[in-house]
Amino acid sequence: MAGRWATLAARALVASAICTTLMAQTQSKGSPDTEKTYERLPGLDKQLIDTTSDPCTDFSQYACGNFSKLYPIPNDRSGFGPGAMVAEYNQRVLHMMLEKAAEGGSDRGPNEQKIGDYYASCMDQDAINHKGLAPLQPELDRIAELNSKNELTSLLAHHQLVNVNSFLNYGEQQDFKDARKQIAALDQGGLGLPERDYYFRAGEAAENTRKEYVQHITNVLKLMGEPESQAMSDAQAIMQLETALAKVSMDITSRRDPQNVYHLMPVTEVAGLTPDLAWTQFFKDTGTPPITELNVANPDFFKGLNTLLSSTSLPVIKTYLRWQLINSTPSEVLPKAFDDEHFDFYGHKLRGQPEQRARWKRCVQATDGGLGEALGQVYVAQEFPPSSKQATLQMVHDIETAMDQDIDTLDWMGPATKVRAKEKLHAIADKIGYPDHWRDYSKLVVVRGDAYGNAMRAIEFENQRELAKIGKPVDRGEFGMSPPTVNAYYNPSMNDINFPAGILQPPFYDPHATDAEDYGHIGAIVGHELTHGFDDQGRQFDGNGNLADWWTAEDGKKFEEKTDCEVKEYSGFTAVDDAKVNGKLTLGENTADNGGLRLAYIAFLADAKRKNIDLSQKQDGYTPVQQFFLGYGQNWCGATRPEQLRVQVQTDPHSPRQFRLDGVVQNMPEFGQAFGCKAGQPMMPANYCRVW
């Protein structure tokens, strides 16, 4: 989809730091006044430290051992840690803003009207329940009126504009090999399970998930009015079709390599891949500007798709389309029975979450998703002073300087590659807090009382905005996350690092913390994003954002040898039961974690030297260097439910939180020295991995 392209071939390479996922699921009991509230943690919280543990044996237990005792996982979450606490705080700030905007009044500006009415409509579940599926009836009628497969093209084009995940995904991206160009892009799609291997993975847990998924489809079809026997039969047919789609899809680990998802071809060649779809009509119906070429991320998928379309009966295709329509619709704008059923499978069974999130939380999130920069303007004005932006920018510059110096010390990289690495480093753009130019929502219509219509119009507005970029100059000032988001990312095509205001809050950035603590917290995240420009994905792009090999063959081989150490190291970590970390899937994030902490450490030492800080002097029981590592360690406090851990290691390029801590410090002898560890202890092994 245009708007969903951020998760597909091009932006699958956009690497994030915290990966705080706030799942939009169904209503839990309680109101903002009765639910537990969380204060923002300080830069170093001694209450979290388990002093009975040995930091040299298990640093995650030492730094965070008391966190889950003080802050157990809430019933409406599948995991909980400092990132989630910041997100909860931000949500309450946004909630107060939205409640005020929803009250109405003649003094509301256009954006306040939109965010207030959007939120109020989402909160009116009685109205949503009363309407039932009537708002979806025109979409259901479109599917019912299909008389032949020849009419499928226009319907699929429409589905792409409203984020219905039928058969494929379509959107725009920067051209990997010419980052000045914005081009159209086609990719695989059409699955209801998290990724293709869910359809084939062996073992009892995987088999149970597939059975539960088929039952979930059955339950939804029954809610839509089908008799039970028909719903069961249709669910099996849908599962069979999705399994066939999965067979021709590329696996999640292979998709990490940009070379695997870049196949620029003339429009005429696309017709040869899938002749059963009228692509010229498809591009016209999506409103795509005139194009002569596009990226087909996975050509083999589209060859397989054509075979499937030819061999699958029209009734089965229509049943699948109905399922995709209801499953792709934001559950908070559907009647409660559908909302609850969606949560039961995707939230409870798949991720182990005991309860649905409170409706107000999901409606805050939905408003942020639909009108992120309109809401973000209000958030920034209240929560992100210019001093925070300037302090963060200074730290970014310090860490970039640290990387410049670190490149000089690398014994495995030759002079020619070092020159090109520094060229790329010096070209990285730093985007802090919020965009320079706010998005214009004047053409987006928001109607109070029309929750479904508001959601669909917002989705289509964003998709059309994205598609309109095709053929136009790249806007290098654009943010890919809304300002309140608790996350950060690096984009290889833009060659920029991006830090929304939402993550630049305590404890990640605390203006009252010591410099050591801030460098350990946000400094490591800055270093993480910077290192992404030089991980196994990012290193394939040059300083202009083009997919180009700027490495000598010898240096490229040495880099792969270095990263292979990390692949083997992390593949040895067990997340839960028989589910191990996928060292290849998580390689980029692991490289960024390790390199990021080292860069932050170098920058911290330089800052301490400038300020004549005595690194041997303890403050509140810890030296500045120990504070630095504890600050980093407390980024990853918390716990994750076993079900969510299993999903994470199968789908997420980020390692579980424990290994983002222990897996990193055990690769830094400086950590062992700071805490007086002995060689051979778990956190100070004789052999360790280092890339950057």
Side-chain angles (χ1 to χ4, degrees):
M1 327 298 322
R4 194 164 59 234
W5 184 250
T7 63
L8 305 177
R11 307 286 171 79
L13 307 180
V14 173
S16 62
I18 298 294
C19 194
T20 304
T21 303
L22 302 175
M23 292 183 293
Q25 289 164 345
T26 53
Q27 185 176 11
S28 64
K29 297 178 181 179
S31 70
D33 296 325
T34 61
E35 293 170 354
K36 183 173 181 178
T37 59
Y38 299 95
E39 297 299 323
R40 294 187 290 188
L41 298 175
L44 175 57
D45 192 341
K46 294 183 71 175
Q47 292 187 92
L48 307 183
I49 297 173
D50 176 7
T51 56
T52 67
S53 180
D54 181 359
C56 301
T57 301
D58 186 346
F59 186 55
S60 62
Q61 177 63 28
Y62 180 82
C64 299
N66 292 330
F67 182 92
S68 293
K69 298 175 185 176
L70 295 168
Y71 307 108
I73 304 175
N75 283 341
D76 66 352
R77 284 186 175 272
S78 57
F80 198 64
M85 291 180 76
V86 177
E88 289 281 347
Y89 175 87
N90 286 352
Q91 275 203 322
R92 288 184 178 274
V93 170
L94 296 175
H95 177 244
M96 288 186 286
M97 295 174 179
L98 288 169
E99 285 286 342
K100 181 179 179 181
E103 289 175 0
S106 59
D107 59 337
R108 291 193 306 176
N111 278 350
E112 289 176 303
Q113 175 267 316
K114 284 181 166 61
I115 62 175
D117 290 352
Y118 194 102
Y119 170 78
S121 302
C122 178
M123 286 296 294
D124 192 353
Q125 192 172 51
D126 287 342
I128 294 171
N129 290 337
H130 180 73
K131 292 179 181 179
L133 291 183
L136 276 76
Q137 197 57 50
E139 298 291 345
L140 292 168
D141 290 344
R142 281 179 184 250
I143 297 170
E145 291 164 3
L146 276 178
N147 293 314
S148 76
K149 295 179 187 178
N150 293 334
E151 299 171 358
L152 188 59
T153 297
S154 291
L155 180 59
L156 293 185
H158 170 68
H159 275 189
Q160 294 301 297
L161 291 177
V162 293
N163 279 12
V164 178
N165 185 33
S166 301
F167 289 117
L168 55 91
N169 280 293
Y170 175 67
E172 66 79 33
Q173 69 169 96
Q174 282 176 265
D175 188 334
F176 278 0
K177 294 194 174 179
D178 186 353
R180 299 169 300 176
K181 293 167 56 180
Q182 294 182 118
I183 60 174
L186 271 172
D187 201 359
Q188 64 192 41
L191 305 182
L193 287 171
E195 77 94 28
R196 58 99 59 196
D197 286 348
Y198 271 77
Y199 293 84
F200 311 113
R201 194 175 283 113
E204 184 179 357
E207 291 174 3
N208 284 340
T209 295
R210 287 191 287 271
K211 290 178 183 177
E212 290 169 345
Y213 179 55
V214 172
Q215 184 61 54
H216 168 57
I217 299 173
T218 302
N219 294 344
V220 172
L221 295 179
K222 286 167 61 180
L223 289 172
M224 295 178 74
E226 288 193 9
E228 183 168 1
S229 59
Q230 182 185 345
M232 292 174 62
S233 175
D234 284 349
Q236 291 291 347
I238 290 167
M239 184 62 171
Q240 184 177 354
L241 179 54
E242 288 190 7
T243 302
L245 282 170
K247 284 181 180 178
V248 295
S249 298
M250 191 184 303
D251 70 89
I252 194 169
T253 304
S254 298
R255 289 174 62 80
R256 289 194 67 257
D257 188 340
Q259 303 284 354
N260 289 342
V261 290
Y262 180 75
H263 305 91
L264 192 66
M265 60 178 61
V267 170
T268 52
E269 286 189 24
V270 181
L273 296 174
T274 316
D276 283 1
L277 294 176
W279 289 109
T280 301
Q281 185 67 39
F282 178 91
F283 299 134
K284 179 182 177 182
D285 288 348
T286 54
T288 303
I291 58 173
T292 58
E293 61 184 5
L294 74 162
N295 178 32
V296 180
N298 184 0
D300 288 341
F301 173 83
F302 287 91
K303 293 177 184 176
L305 174 61
N306 199 74
T307 301
L308 276 174
L309 292 176
S310 298
S311 60
T312 305
S313 69
L314 184 61
V316 170
I317 288 175
K318 291 168 72 170
T319 298
Y320 166 79
L321 292 173
R322 292 173 68 240
W323 159 245
Q324 284 296 324
L325 169 66
I326 198 75
N327 196 44
S328 300
T329 300
S331 65
E332 68 271 5
V333 301
L334 291 174
K336 188 175 186 299
F338 289 88
D339 198 14
D340 289 346
E341 175 60 37
H342 184 272
F343 166 78
D344 183 65
F345 176 70
Y346 287 103
H348 180 59
K349 290 188 172 67
L350 200 59
R351 300 179 184 276
Q353 188 175 322
E355 294 179 3
Q356 305 106 315
R357 304 202 74 219
R359 187 163 191 88
W360 72 265
K361 293 181 180 181
R362 296 187 297 118
C363 289
V364 167
Q365 184 183 350
T367 309
D368 184 41
L371 292 139
E373 291 193 12
L375 184 57
Q377 277 184 274
V378 186
Y379 173 82
V380 165
Q382 179 173 313
E383 297 292 318
F384 192 63
S387 59
S388 292
K389 182 166 185 171
Q390 289 305 313
T392 305
L393 192 58
Q394 180 59 54
M395 185 176 288
V396 170
H397 291 159
D398 288 347
I399 293 172
E400 288 171 339
T401 298
M403 183 166 227
D404 187 289
Q405 296 168 353
D406 187 49
I407 289 171
D408 287 332
T409 70
L410 298 175
D411 59 5
W412 57 268
M413 181 180 281
T417 308
K418 285 183 178 180
V419 169
R420 296 298 302 277
K422 288 195 174 190
E423 287 176 358
K424 177 170 184 175
L425 172 64
H426 297 156
I428 290 176
D430 307 321
K431 287 153 57 173
I432 309 296
Y434 50 88
D436 292 333
H437 304 286
W438 295 102
R439 195 163 296 167
D440 179 8
Y441 293 96
S442 59
K443 294 183 179 179
L444 173 59
V445 176
V446 175
V447 178
R448 198 175 185 102
D450 186 13
Y452 173 83
N454 291 338
M456 293 300 104
R457 285 188 293 271
I459 288 169
E460 192 161 1
F461 171 83
E462 176 60 17
N463 287 337
Q464 290 175 337
R465 188 188 72 83
E466 294 278 352
L467 289 173
K469 296 177 183 178
I470 295 171
K472 292 182 179 178
V474 174
D475 177 5
R476 292 190 172 271
E478 185 175 20
F479 265 63
M481 293 176 175
S482 70
T485 302
V486 185
N487 214 327
Y489 69 94
Y490 169 80
N491 185 337
S493 291
M494 288 284 196
N495 193 29
D496 62 9
I497 52 178
N498 304 256
F499 300 91
I503 197 173
L504 301 175
Q505 308 289 335
F508 302 122
Y509 170 70
D510 183 354
H512 305 295
T514 66
D515 291 336
E517 293 159 8
D518 274 341
Y519 271 97
H521 273 298
I522 195 64
I525 296 171
V526 171
H528 173 107
E529 299 308 335
L530 198 60
T531 304
H532 270 312
F534 304 88
D535 66 13
D536 62 310
Q537 290 179 327
R539 81 173 190 91
Q540 298 187 56
F541 293 80
D542 64 19
N544 294 317
N546 296 322
L547 186 61
D549 189 359
W550 47 272
W551 296 63
T552 65
E554 182 180 3
D555 289 347
K557 183 177 180 181
K558 288 180 180 177
F559 176 88
E560 291 175 357
E561 290 171 354
K562 291 284 185 181
T563 56
D564 188 56
C565 178
E566 289 183 343
V567 170
K568 292 175 180 175
E569 177 187 16
Y570 282 81
S571 294
F573 296 144
T574 300
V576 58
D577 300 330
D578 61 341
K580 287 186 173 293
V581 175
N582 182 339
K584 291 185 177 180
L585 174 62
T586 58
L587 175 58
E589 298 298 335
N590 297 335
T591 300
D593 281 344
N594 281 271
L597 186 61
R598 182 171 294 279
L599 292 179
Y601 181 73
I602 295 170
F604 159 64
L605 292 182
D607 180 72
K609 185 176 181 180
R610 278 197 308 266
K611 297 173 180 175
N612 295 315
I613 294 175
D614 183 355
L615 297 181
S616 65
Q617 185 68 40
K618 289 188 176 182
Q619 178 181 337
D620 203 19
Y622 295 100
T623 68
V625 176
Q626 289 173 332
Q627 290 177 359
F628 169 84
F629 284 112
L630 283 166
Y632 175 73
Q634 292 191 349
N635 276 352
W636 303 115
C637 290
T640 307
R641 299 189 192 279
E643 298 90 340
Q644 171 62 19
L645 278 172
R646 186 175 292 277
V647 172
Q648 182 174 351
V649 297
Q650 293 171 350
T651 64
D652 194 334
H654 301 80
S655 293
R657 66 180 81 235
Q658 175 188 351
F659 309 121
R660 299 190 74 174
L661 175 47
D662 288 347
V664 173
V665 298
Q666 71 184 33
N667 287 329
M668 281 192 70
E670 296 88 345
F671 166 82
Q673 294 161 9
F675 283 90
C677 303
K678 297 176 182 179
Q681 287 189 280
M683 297 295 102
M684 199 174 181
N687 299 310
Y688 61 91
C689 300
R690 179 182 173 184
V691 182
W692 296 103

